[in-house]
Amino acid sequence: MLINKDMKMADVIHLDHHLLHVINRFNIQLGFEDKTVETVCKEYQVNTDFFLEIVNTYHDPSYFPLKNLQRFKPTLLVDYLQKTHHYYLGIKIPEIEQFINQLLLNNKIEPVHSKLLADFFQSYKTELTTHITKEEQRVYPYVKRLEGYLTQSIDKELITKEIKDYSIQEYEQEHDDVEAKLYDLKNIIIKYLPSPTDSSLFNKILHDLFELERDLNNHGRFENLILVPIVEKMEKDLLQKIKKS
Amino acid sequence: MRRLTILMIEQSFIIREGIKTLLSQMNQPFTMEEIDWVVADLPKLLRKTKPNLVFINPVSVVPNALLSRTNDHKILFIGMIHGETELNIISKFDICLDVYSDKQTLSKQIEELIEKNIGSSKEKQNSNLSERETNILKLVALGLTNNDIGEKLFISSQTVMTHRKNITRKLGIKTVSGLTVYAILHKIIKAEEL
């Protein structure tokens, strides 16, 4: 069942509580009373259509309306993606880290094993952070600049050089590597780490990893299927604009 | 540590509990089937419970039962001896524990037994990697490239790739650092070797 603008926001959460942190990314906070999605969005000055597309792709992985999504302004998308980055590095990763620290202190678990897991997680974190930093510092500003160029008078040489120097395609590959590490991390815990008599800590870590993975997959889809094509189109349009002028 | 399935044939409640406590304190995960009557058909019981380890008080099985167990090499038989026992009964077991020995001696004996017999067969049972694949996994974990490995083993790097794909498929681990963790956990390499 897809979420629409006339549903009560409270019912949306009852329907799929995994959406809570997605909704928070729009700076929307709890305490909805009986307000509809549309009313809440207006209150928080959020683009309702964009909000709906985002929560629906998240709620139903088979729902991915390319055409609808590609008509939104790139900056809108970039702002949202940046918020998800903040969620990963500012909330989710520290949360998992806390559990892993508890694991290191737990004397029922072989220290060698918790250390292996902690080290592996650290290397995953480093990779994810590097990847995110690169996007924040290079990709997103680039997207925003391109959007700017389309509406203002332009410096031909500067833009041609910029587009040549940087092509959006190059970062698609990196997503795969970050994903593979997360996959391994899960399997190491599920299949290979000898489980302690009480596995509740492991369960918590796994829960978080699965949630993070789901979010990252959604995030990656947005980048590869929407952001990349939008940027490619902008690059093409700009180069054409230059040719004509 | 791997979880052991244990069959415990011992009429004494106190001794059964004692062994359980000992194993727990050794951090050895296990599930235990407890038998508190005299066993007549040991092979049937073994088929039913499929244990790795069997603790037996010799007086809790009918004497012939112990004779018919020899064909199963995967199961370890531990005799729990109370006082004087005939040599031909002791010889039926892989190891005998004197129930009156102190805690340290007992846990050391059990630990050694598990490590020597079950620890070594662990890789074979846990992963279905072939010997070649295990070798390649080891070299990957040590940080060698496909080319290095190919040269070392006199095979093409293409063949190394194929092996690596199979390893990843079998283990469900894709990255080099993930394979390294697996290799350490399964004692294919030592952490100090890295």
Side-chain angles (χ1 to χ4, degrees), chain B:
Chain B
M1 245 183 279
R2 174 170 152 219
R3 177 171 289 274
L4 295 176
T5 308
I6 295 174
L7 176 63
M8 168 70 76
I9 305 172
E10 166 63 68
Q11 281 165 290
S12 157
F13 167 75
I14 301 277
I15 290 178
R16 291 199 309 270
E17 287 304 305
I19 297 282
K20 277 197 262 181
T21 308
L22 196 63
L23 288 168
S24 302
Q25 287 179 359
M26 288 164 61
N27 281 329
Q28 172 64 55
F30 63 90
T31 37
M32 185 180 281
E33 187 74 38
E34 295 175 53
I35 309 293
D36 60 359
W37 60 86
V38 175
V39 173
D41 194 346
L42 187 59
K44 188 178 163 193
L45 195 59
L46 294 175
R47 278 197 302 276
K48 224 174 81 186
T49 51
K50 298 198 177 68
N52 313 106
L53 281 186
V54 190
F55 285 89
I56 300 178
N57 177 349
V59 303
S60 296
V61 289
V62 299
N64 309 344
L66 281 172
L67 291 170
S68 53
R69 64 112 191 147
T70 39
N71 43 10
D72 203 334
H73 297 292
K74 272 181 289 179
I75 306 176
L76 281 180
F77 288 80
I78 304 172
M80 291 188 292
I81 308 301
H82 307 231
E84 264 182 57
T85 308
E86 283 172 46
L87 209 61
N88 69 346
I89 291 185
I90 291 177
S91 67
K92 299 276 189 298
F93 294 99
D94 295 299
I95 185 177
C96 281
L97 305 176
D98 179 355
V99 293
Y100 296 111
S101 43
D102 61 46
K103 183 178 164 187
Q104 261 187 325
T105 315
L106 279 174
S107 52
K108 209 174 150 206
Q109 281 178 307
I110 295 178
E111 201 172 331
E112 275 174 5
L113 179 86
I114 293 174
E115 204 158 283
K116 228 176 33 207
N117 296 282
I118 296 174
S120 61
S121 61
K122 195 149 81 179
E123 286 112 68
K124 273 180 220 150
Q125 291 179 5
N126 271 6
S127 69
N128 36 14
L129 292 187
S130 69
E131 207 170 305
R132 189 61 150 186
E133 285 163 350
T134 309
N135 265 332
I136 287 172
L137 171 65
K138 181 175 177 175
L139 297 173
V140 171
L142 290 173
L144 273 71
T145 65
N146 288 348
N147 276 336
D148 295 340
I149 297 171
E151 266 173 40
K152 209 168 172 138
L153 302 179
F154 306 106
I155 51 179
S156 73
S157 58
Q158 196 55 47
T159 313
V160 179
M161 277 286 278
T162 312
H163 282 302
R164 285 186 61 165
K165 270 186 199 147
N166 289 336
I167 294 170
T168 289
R169 181 176 48 77
K170 284 183 182 175
L171 302 182
I173 296 186
K174 295 175 181 171
T175 65
V176 173
S177 43
L179 292 171
T180 308
V181 172
Y182 177 90
I184 295 174
L185 283 176
H186 289 78
K187 300 194 168 62
I188 295 168
I189 58 166
K190 289 197 186 100
E192 306 87 75
E193 286 179 77
L194 293 173

